[in-house]
């Protein structure tokens, strides 16, 4: 019965968060909106989140995906702490799909991949590529 | 009642206070999976202890900020709080932006608070399809208070009163005259009326309009208190928390609590039965069969009710 709306069908839940002190959240909002338009339920936490706050929100919201946006250059400081805080709460990089975006130099990609981030999106990325990535990789 | 041994390890962890188990069980229950039903069956007997508060009002009235501030007030009183915040799903893509946490940052790391965002997933009335079940899960976990924050509601989204025990209606100055308020069925479900953003012009006028409106209520009905708040600061939340506790006492003493519980339970049973029937119809009807009925109705050779009877007949088998 294809025509009936399936209200209870499993939705992909995504947390979009901005760790650290930079207040530029345009990118995070554009990505959140694109994922919403792609049919995801997106929890947006707002700016200036500590790694603890992000991990706690991921736990309480039981998200499938965590996307971090950063423009301050502190990603190699802050992202490992987010991963640690997630692990402290029993959430490993196999349990949740991690991706990040923002002003992140190419040469840092490898370190971020090793940390568990499956993708790094930079300025100019087509938002549809991010939606596609989430649908292809999110554990169901 | 016979004590059932919980069938799964996750329920054990839940009952021992594990927050990740709580989060995962909410997901299963929200998605109405078979496991979710099993968990709920084991957990449900532990519910019924929390006081359930509904916070409703228009979009931008300050519901999230007020919910956060009220939770902080309860934390100051040594109480624990579970929050279920509902935001709308897109009717076109079924996606949603759930942004209520933004207004509750000060609670982010408080171990006595748990905030869960839910999308409305097509439900009308300002809530989500499985809200009552998710609230029962939060209640069973042992929070003293569970606060439900609805989607921005206008004039007749009154579903919340069928789930909460105390309903707060958040109003703002400058959002319409007293006839707007008189029209609104939503006023009739309020146990506590809040005039938020009370530092904005027109707050006192709104308070007197609400007072005048309540004076028109039938004699003998309980008059909800009208309280001014500035949730951003926060100001006025002690009085709100006191008013909620007063209302709870009144529910207990007047016998209304029992009536409330009965009618909420009736509502839940009927809603669940409706959902099960719909699922069975969906299982027993192929897309082609439905398409054929739809074609006949669109072509005016069959009326919609007879078509629906044919669908319903499919489950009698």
């Amino acid at each position: 019965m294809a025509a009936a709306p399936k209200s209870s069908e499993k939705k992909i839940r995504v947390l979009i968060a901005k760790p650290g002190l930079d207040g530029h959240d345009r990118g995070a909002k554009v990505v959140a909106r694109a994922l919403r338009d792609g049919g995801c339920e997106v929890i947006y936490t707002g700016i200036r989140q500590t790694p603890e706050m992000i991990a706690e929100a991921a736990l309480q919201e039981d998200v499938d995906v965590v996307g971090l946006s950063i423009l301050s250059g502190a990603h190699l400081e802050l992202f490992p702490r987010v991963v640690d805080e997630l692990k402290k709460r029993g959430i490993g990089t196999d349990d949740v799909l991690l991706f990040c975006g923002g002003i992140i130099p190419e040469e840092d990609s490898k370190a971020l991949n090793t940390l568990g981030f499956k993708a790094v999106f930079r300025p100019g990325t087509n938002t549809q590529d991010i939606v596609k990535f989430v649908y292809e990789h999110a554990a169901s | 009642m016979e004590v059932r041994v919980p069938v799964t390890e996750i329920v054990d962890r839940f009952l021992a206070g594990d927050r990740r188990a709580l989060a995962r069980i909410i997901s299963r229950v929200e998605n109405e999976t078979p496991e979710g039903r099993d968990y709920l069956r084991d957990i449900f007997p532990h519910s019924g202890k929390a006081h359930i508060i509904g916070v409703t009002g228009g979009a931008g009235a300050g519901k999230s900020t007020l919910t956060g501030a009220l939770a902080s007030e309860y934390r100051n009183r040594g109480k624990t709080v579970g929050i279920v915040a509902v935001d709308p799903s897109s009717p076109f893509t079924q996606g949603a932006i759930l942004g209520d946490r933004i207004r509750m940052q000060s609670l982010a790391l408080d171990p006595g608070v748990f905030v869960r965002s839910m999308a409305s997933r097509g439900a009308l009335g300002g809530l989500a399809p499985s809200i009552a079940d998710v609230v029962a899960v939060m209640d069973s976990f042992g929070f003293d208070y569970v606060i439900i924050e609805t989607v921005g509601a206008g004039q007749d989204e009154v579903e919340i009163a069928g789930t909460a025990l105390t309903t707060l209606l958040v109003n703002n100055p400058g959002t319409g005259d007293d006839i707007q308020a008189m029209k609104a069925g939503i006023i009739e479900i309020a146990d506590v009326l809040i005039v938020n953003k009370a530092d904005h012009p027109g707050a006192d006028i709104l308070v007197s309009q609400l007072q005048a409106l309540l004076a028109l209520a039938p004699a003998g009905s309980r008059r909800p208190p009208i309280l001014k708040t500035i949730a951003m600061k926060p100001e006025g939340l002690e009085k709100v928390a006191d008013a909620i506790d007063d209302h709870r006492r009144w529910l207990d003493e007047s016998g209304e609590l029992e009536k409330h519980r009965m009618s909420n339970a009736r509502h839940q049973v009927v809603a669940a039965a409706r959902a099960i029937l719909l699922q069975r119809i969906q299982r027993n009807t192929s897309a082609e069969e439905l398409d054929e009925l739809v074609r006949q109705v669109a072509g005016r050779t069959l009326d919609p009710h007879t078509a629906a009877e044919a669908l319903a007949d499919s489950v009698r088998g």
Side-chain angles (χ1 to χ4, degrees):
Chain A
M1 192 161 158
K6 289 187 197 152
S7 64
S8 58
E9 154 187 305
K10 166 86 172 116
K11 295 283 184 300
I12 297 179
R13 286 171 69 85
V14 185
L15 181 74
I16 296 291
K18 270 196 69 69
L21 295 177
D22 85 84
H24 304 281
D25 61 351
R26 175 119 190 107
K29 283 176 176 162
V30 166
V31 171
R33 176 64 201 252
L35 288 167
R36 170 210 185 255
D37 291 344
C40 297
E41 291 180 356
V42 182
I43 293 109
Y44 183 61
T45 61
I47 56 175
R48 307 211 171 93
Q49 300 287 299
T50 66
E52 292 87 346
M53 287 161 87
I54 294 168
E56 189 58 32
L59 179 143
Q60 294 181 14
E61 301 288 357
D62 192 27
V63 290
D64 308 293
V65 184
V66 175
L68 301 180
S69 164
I70 197 160
L71 288 85
S72 66
H75 45 279
L76 291 182
E77 301 291 323
L78 289 168
F79 289 6
R81 288 182 46 208
V82 173
V83 173
D84 282 348
E85 289 295 332
L86 285 168
K87 282 188 182 144
K88 264 192 215 167
R89 289 166 176 78
I91 304 170
T93 48
D94 294 337
D95 300 317
V96 73
L97 172 66
L98 291 173
F99 74 92
C100 58
I103 310 296
I104 297 171
E106 279 293 339
E107 63 258 36
D108 293 342
S109 288
K110 200 155 177 252
L112 292 171
N113 290 148
T114 312
L115 205 55
F117 289 83
K118 293 278 186 320
V120 181
F121 295 107
R122 295 190 169 77
T125 304
N126 185 329
T127 54
Q128 286 317 302
D129 292 342
I130 301 176
V131 176
K132 202 163 152 247
F133 162 82
V134 163
Y135 272 88
E136 275 170 11
H137 293 85
S140 52
Chain B
M1 183 188 208
E2 185 195 353
V3 180
R4 293 184 73 259
V5 180
V7 287
T8 45
E9 179 253 343
I10 188 167
V11 173
D12 286 340
R13 286 199 284 124
F14 171 92
L15 294 174
D18 181 323
R19 292 158 70 88
R20 183 146 151 84
L22 167 62
R24 305 219 80 157
I25 286 177
I26 290 175
S27 300
R28 302 296 187 281
V29 166
E30 181 183 17
N31 292 327
E32 300 173 41
T33 63
E35 304 155 273
R37 296 247 162 80
D38 287 346
Y39 299 153
L40 192 65
R41 192 189 53 217
D42 286 344
I43 285 168
F44 193 77
H46 298 268
S47 67
K49 297 184 201 85
H51 187 63
I52 315 293
I53 301 163
V55 178
T56 191
K63 293 183 297 299
S64 301
T65 308
L66 188 104
T67 297
L70 180 61
S72 296
E73 175 61 26
Y74 282 130
R75 293 297 294 138
N76 292 340
R77 299 179 182 200
K79 304 293 186 185
T80 59
V81 186
I83 296 171
V84 186
V86 188
D87 267 332
S89 296
S90 159
F92 302 107
T93 67
Q94 280 75 50
I97 297 274
L98 310 175
D100 292 322
R101 295 189 81 89
I102 299 173
R103 324 268 175 228
M104 303 177 191
Q105 301 284 356
S106 65
L107 306 168
L109 292 175
D110 185 333
V113 177
F114 191 100
V115 181
R116 183 60 176 247
S117 311
M118 283 180 84
S120 63
R121 296 189 181 178
L124 300 176
L127 294 175
S130 48
I131 188 89
D133 292 339
V134 170
V135 169
V137 172
M138 285 268 201
D139 181 349
S140 307
F141 194 74
F143 293 110
D144 296 309
Y145 294 88
V146 176
I147 308 179
I148 309 164
E149 185 202 329
T150 73
V151 169
Q155 297 184 311
D156 69 351
E157 289 94 338
V158 297
E159 287 286 312
I160 184 68
T163 311
L165 294 171
T166 300
T167 300
L168 274 51
L169 176 63
V170 186
N171 304 275
N172 296 147
T175 50
D177 64 10
D178 51 342
I179 300 299
Q180 286 304 332
M182 202 186 292
K183 275 198 281 190
I186 202 164
I187 292 258
E188 296 166 43
I189 62 161
D191 301 305
V192 180
L193 282 164
I194 300 207
V195 173
N196 189 36
K197 307 186 189 178
D199 50 344
H200 290 206
D204 291 323
I205 297 171
L206 178 57
V207 169
S208 47
Q209 283 174 345
L210 290 170
Q211 276 164 346
L213 189 69
L214 294 179
L216 300 174
S221 55
R222 184 182 182 275
R223 293 272 165 86
I226 303 167
L227 302 172
K228 288 202 282 185
T229 58
I230 307 168
M232 284 275 279
K233 283 200 170 178
E235 246 175 59
L237 274 303
E238 306 86 350
K239 286 196 175 133
V240 175
D242 290 344
I244 293 167
D245 290 347
D246 284 347
H247 181 250
R248 172 60 193 242
R249 217 166 298 123
W250 175 80
L251 284 173
D252 282 329
E253 288 164 5
S254 64
E256 285 292 320
L257 186 72
E258 210 37 50
K259 279 193 219 162
H260 228 304
R261 285 201 198 284
M262 284 293 287
S263 80
N264 290 8
R266 185 180 307 276
H267 185 78
Q268 284 175 37
V269 172
V270 171
R274 194 178 292 142
I276 288 171
L277 281 177
L278 189 61
Q279 276 172 5
R280 289 196 183 153
I281 290 173
Q282 286 173 339
R283 252 205 318 268
N284 292 339
T285 312
S286 69
E288 294 74 36
E289 287 171 292
L290 177 65
D291 286 349
E292 179 50 36
L293 289 169
V294 168
R295 252 193 303 278
Q296 291 178 32
V297 173
R300 299 296 190 268
T301 57
L302 188 69
D303 72 284
H305 299 281
T306 309
E309 287 280 357
L311 289 180
D313 282 344
S314 72
V315 297
R316 277 186 201 153

